Amino acid sequence: MKRWRFSLSQLLDNHTIAAWTFLAPALVLLGLFIIWPIVYLFYLSFTAGSFTSKGIYWVGLKNYWRLLLNSDFWQVLFNTAYFTLGTVIPSLVIPLGLAVLLNRVLPWRGILRSFYFLPSIISLVAAGLGFRWLFQNTGPVNGMLEFFGVPPISWLGDTFWAMPVLILFSIWKQIGFNMVVFLAGLQAISSTLYEAAELDGAGDWQQFWHITLPGLRPTLIFATVTTSIFAFRSFEPVYVITGGGPLNSTNLLVYYTYQEAFAQFDFGYAAAVASVLLVITLLLVYFQLQTWGRG
């Protein structure tokens, strides 16, 4: 068995000292603002009480057991899965199609790219208030439906329609960002590949399937992961547009955590919910990286 031996001189050589000197500020910030909060979150999930004179106390797995037996949590988990799937798939397919089209419309690419990217830079709260106004009972959407003879719909007061409104808002916010990312990825693919494919008689669909998609694999990985994280951490749309209603039908895990922590002051249970959300997100990202990263 090969043995590794490190002398003090090896540990303190100029290159090692320089490396640790440059890494130290980033490691300190990483530990202070990311690692330590995560460790404290897991610790808090095994406690109960509040940050008062009584303090918190250890309860073990009681919060996780409560979580498993709570029907509201399972409904929120289902809502989050529904919202994430409804957001991620269109937020990848639509921007990819727009990017392919814009990559060919060279004279208008800059203007159209700015137009589609505009929602991404608008405040989530401001945009959410705008959507709430559009879909209220007396809002422009129902006014347009009435113009065409369609009865008005209680978009935000109906358990069936409230979630699609949130999903539409989330897609609208994410399309521009993903489109710009895909457009940058398309421009990195060599045009000689398409020229060679045309000489071989390949059609547009064959070029897209055999050249564009393989060439966009790293971009697709990035867009899928970032969009999934964006969907899982969505809080502002729920807070501004629906408030988790009606009948808890649009309550998502982040908003549910906020309610338990800052409305019910049940910080231990809220930490358990947040821990589950963190684990689910990490597993989802790992699965996506393993799936898209093959080949």
Side-chain angles (χ1 to χ4, degrees), residues 123-171:
S123 166
L124 279 168
V125 175
L129 290 173
F131 260 70
R132 184 174 180 177
W133 170 71
L134 287 172
F135 286 94
Q136 63 183 350
N137 291 339
T138 58
V141 174
N142 276 335
M144 184 174 62
L145 291 178
E146 290 180 349
F147 178 79
F148 289 102
V150 180
I153 299 173
S154 180
W155 297 99
L156 304 180
D158 189 285
T159 56
F160 178 81
W161 290 109
M163 183 63 81
V165 172
L166 284 183
I167 292 174
L168 179 63
F169 172 82
S170 183
I171 294 171

Side-chain angles (χ1 to χ4, degrees), residues 40 44 47-57 260-261 264-268:
Y40 187 71
L44 200 62
T47 65
S50 59
F51 300 102
T52 60
S53 58
K54 295 182 179 179
I56 59 176
Y57 52 92
E260 294 297 325
Q264 304 297 327
F265 296 100
D266 195 349
F267 294 104

Side-chain angles (χ1 to χ4, degrees), residues 79-90 167 227-228 231-232 252 284:
N79 294 342
T80 305
Y82 173 27
F83 176 80
T84 301
L85 286 175
T87 296
V88 171
I89 296 175
I167 292 174
T227 305
S228 300
F232 263 101
L252 304 180
L284 180 64

Side-chain angles (χ1 to χ4, degrees), residues 47 49 82 84-85 91 98 128 131 149 151 163 174 214 218 229 255 262 279:
T47 65
Y82 173 27
T84 301
L85 286 175
S91 295
L98 291 173
F131 260 70
M163 183 63 81
Q174 196 69 15
I229 293 175
Y255 187 74
F262 300 106
V279 171

Side-chain angles (χ1 to χ4, degrees), residues 216-226 288-289 292-294:
L216 285 177
R217 182 181 294 273
T219 309
L220 282 169
I221 295 173
F222 173 79
T224 304
V225 170
T226 54
Q288 290 173 342
L289 291 176
W292 287 98
R294 292 176 183 173

Side-chain angles (χ1 to χ4, degrees), residues 1-7 10:
M1 181 181 295
K2 186 176 181 180
R3 296 182 179 180
W4 295 92
R5 296 180 180 178
F6 297 95
S7 64
Q10 289 176 316

Side-chain angles (χ1 to χ4, degrees), residues 2 7 9 21 36 51 77-78 81 93 100 116 120 156 176 191 207 214 238-239 266 272 274 276-278 293:
K2 186 176 181 180
S7 64
S9 60
T21 301
W36 167 244
F51 300 102
L77 190 62
F78 173 79
V93 175
V100 171
Y116 284 116
S120 300
L156 304 180
S191 59
Q207 293 180 32
V238 182
Y239 183 82
D266 195 349
V276 171
L277 175 61
L278 176 62

